[in-house]
Amino acid sequence: MTQSAAISRPFTFDTVFDGDQVIAPVRPKRSFALDEVETIRTEAFAAGERSAVARAEEEAATALAETTLAIRQAMGALTRLAHEHRSASAELALTAARKIADAALEQFPEAPVAAALAAMAREIEAVPRLMIRSGAADPARLEAALHKAADAAGYKGHLVFKAEPGMSTGAFVFDWGDGRAAFDPTLAATRIQTALEAALAAEGLHAEAPILENLSPDISPDSSGDVS
């Protein structure tokens, strides 16, 4: 190898010649004054601080979004649990009410018909004859209770009793020609059960909706005694 080859350097095309114009390359600054160094240091520190804050804010936003999602999922589970508990409680209360009502009817089977006569006294006060159909196991007891209720209500019409063996305990039918009233505790209990189920179904999982609405979406990742 010759000496000239050992000391040769590649041509870098730093300077550009454009006709009469010579464009010199921008040379990186190799020395800085103290005030320039301080300015550069300050700017670099500020840029790093902004980057750290941005990363922290991004991490906080991600954590908040994940927390919100977890809360929503937990609230969904709690909402379903609350609805199931509410439905079970209502069913338990209805079952207990049925047991109490059945026991009361066994002890006082004439109570519903006597109460109905007292409640309708004003409506039937001018009726000369009232037909009463009932499946009472003890007709004499029923007649005595109805006569007592009629006297207490001031009803002066004639009471006519007709046995209906197929009717349930406590059921009755009033018939006065121009009108009719009937009550069946079994059918009444069925109507109450249906109404309760409809109310629970209509309510669905919306009872706790206001709690869920408080979670901002902006941070989210994505009657047995009625006479009818």
Side-chain angles (χ1 to χ4, degrees), residues 158 161 166:
H158 181 54
F161 300 92

Side-chain angles (χ1 to χ4, degrees), residues 3-219:
Q3 184 177 0
S4 60
I7 61 175
S8 65
R9 292 178 299 174
F11 188 73
T12 59
F13 298 97
D14 290 338
T15 302
V16 177
F17 298 92
D18 185 8
D20 296 335
Q21 184 179 10
V22 178
I23 303 175
V26 178
R27 304 292 182 180
K29 193 171 182 178
R30 297 184 181 278
S31 62
F32 300 89
L34 290 178
D35 57 341
E36 292 179 317
V37 172
E38 182 61 24
T39 300
I40 293 172
R41 188 195 69 79
T42 302
E43 292 176 352
F45 180 82
E49 189 176 47
R50 287 194 299 271
S51 178
V53 170
R55 284 197 302 271
E57 290 177 346
E58 182 179 355
E59 292 173 357
T62 301
L64 185 57
E66 293 174 352
T67 301
T68 301
L69 178 59
I71 292 174
R72 284 183 177 277
Q73 293 173 341
M75 286 303 301
L78 288 176
T79 297
R80 289 189 294 272
L81 181 61
H83 178 69
E84 293 171 2
H85 178 71
R86 189 162 44 250
S87 300
S89 297
E91 184 64 34
L92 179 61
L94 186 58
T95 300
R98 283 178 175 174
K99 294 293 185 181
I100 295 172
D102 290 344
L105 284 175
E106 288 296 329
Q107 292 295 319
F108 308 101
E110 73 284 355
V113 64
L117 180 61
M120 298 178 63
R122 182 67 62 87
E123 183 176 354
I124 64 175
E125 61 182 352
V127 174
R129 180 174 178 271
L130 178 64
M131 170 73 73
I132 302 163
R133 289 184 290 162
S134 173
D138 189 347
R141 177 176 173 176
L142 175 64
E143 290 183 24
L146 281 175
H147 282 299
K148 182 178 180 180
D151 292 340
Y155 177 67
K156 304 300 182 181
H158 181 54
L159 301 179
V160 180
F161 300 92
K162 183 178 180 180
E164 293 286 352
M167 297 180 72
S168 59
T169 302
F172 64 86
V173 175
F174 286 169
D175 192 340
W176 57 94
D178 295 333
R180 184 176 180 274
F183 170 71
D184 186 330
T186 302
L187 294 178
T190 301
R191 288 197 299 269
I192 293 173
Q193 175 75 39
T194 301
L196 176 62
E197 292 175 353
L200 290 171
E203 181 187 63
L205 303 178
H206 303 299
E208 287 74 26
I211 299 177
L212 293 176
E213 289 172 358
N214 288 333
L215 297 178
S216 173
D218 295 336
I219 58 176

